[in-house]
Amino acid sequence: MNLCLYGASSNEIDQSYMDAAYSLGAEMAVRGFGLVFGGGAAGLMGAAARGMSSRNGVLVGVAPSFFNRPGVLYGSCTELILTETMRERKLIMEERSGGFIMTPGAIGTFEEFFEILTLKQLGRHGKPIAIFNVRGYFDGLVEVLNKAIDEKFMTPECGNLYRQFSEAGEMLDWFGECFSAQ
């Protein structure tokens, strides 16, 4: 089963985030999960891809063709799909994945996570969604989501559409349970 990873494309972040993404990618490969990602060589996307490659995992990179420049895309994808637009990229990533992981990132990561979460809320898919909360990075975001529930902007059921984890192994165990229940 493929898991889609959303995450930072910056190499300027603390090494502990890179290490966590690399370890996540390696553990995904060991457990037989494939990785669908934005195809980037840098940041947490690249770190997870390198982790997958270190254990001979399957990597599906999906990137708009305007990213196809030297040094931008990860060179060892099992399959690289080039799209015309970012919207097309996200659709292919969704279609090729059985579940989704948001790792630390910024605007693009948030946008991808909220789109896939919204689609699940609207009943457009039933795939599991996880927040990989490395070093408490997403504590503030989870607090905002909980406040939206408390203030009745979201129903309590919306809080059950995703799970958050600080440990990669526990998160991958959960995905395994989700897939075996299908």
Side-chain angles (χ1 to χ4, degrees), residues 1-3 36 60 62 79 81 91-98 127:
M1 184 63 68
N2 288 335
L3 294 174
V36 175
V60 179
V62 185
E79 179 181 5
I81 301 168
L91 177 61
I92 291 170
M93 291 170 70
E94 176 189 345
E95 290 172 343
R96 298 288 298 265
S97 302
K127 300 172 185 179

Side-chain angles (χ1 to χ4, degrees), residues 22 25-26 28-29 33-35 48-59:
Y22 181 94
M28 285 173 59
F33 292 109
L35 173 64
R50 288 188 297 279
M52 285 289 289
S53 291
S54 76
R55 299 292 193 272
N56 299 312
V58 175
L59 291 126

Side-chain angles (χ1 to χ4, degrees), residues 5 13 19 22 38 40 43-44 55 59 78 80 88 90-91 97 100 112 136 148 153 163 168 177 179:
L5 182 137
I13 59 180
D19 294 343
Y22 181 94
L44 301 190
R55 299 292 193 272
L59 291 126
T78 309
L80 178 62
E88 183 184 6
K90 290 187 300 182
L91 177 61
S97 302
F100 305 90
E112 290 167 325
F153 287 95
R163 294 269 310 267
E177 292 166 11
F179 297 145

Side-chain angles (χ1 to χ4, degrees), residues 65-85:
S65 56
F66 58 84
F67 282 173
N68 194 11
R69 299 187 316 250
V72 174
L73 298 179
Y74 186 69
S76 297
C77 290
T78 309
E79 179 181 5
L80 178 62
I81 301 168
L82 295 176
T83 65
E84 289 301 312
T85 67

Side-chain angles (χ1 to χ4, degrees), residues 106-122:
I107 294 169
T109 302
F110 300 150
E111 188 270 335
E112 290 167 325
F113 167 76
F114 279 113
E115 180 172 334
I116 210 67
L117 183 64
T118 300
L119 290 171
K120 187 170 182 177
Q121 178 192 21
L122 295 172

Side-chain angles (χ1 to χ4, degrees), residues 13-17 104 132-139 166:
I13 59 180
D14 189 89
Q15 185 63 38
S16 63
Y17 293 111
F132 188 28
N133 195 10
V134 178
R135 294 182 48 197
Y137 181 82
F138 290 116
D139 288 353
S166 58

Side-chain angles (χ1 to χ4, degrees), residues 143-163:
E143 185 178 323
V144 167
L145 291 170
N146 288 336
K147 181 156 180 79
I149 292 169
D150 293 344
E151 298 286 337
K152 301 192 182 353
F153 287 95
M154 287 187 346
T155 65
E157 293 76 27
C158 289
N160 297 324
L161 298 176
Y162 65 91
R163 294 269 310 267

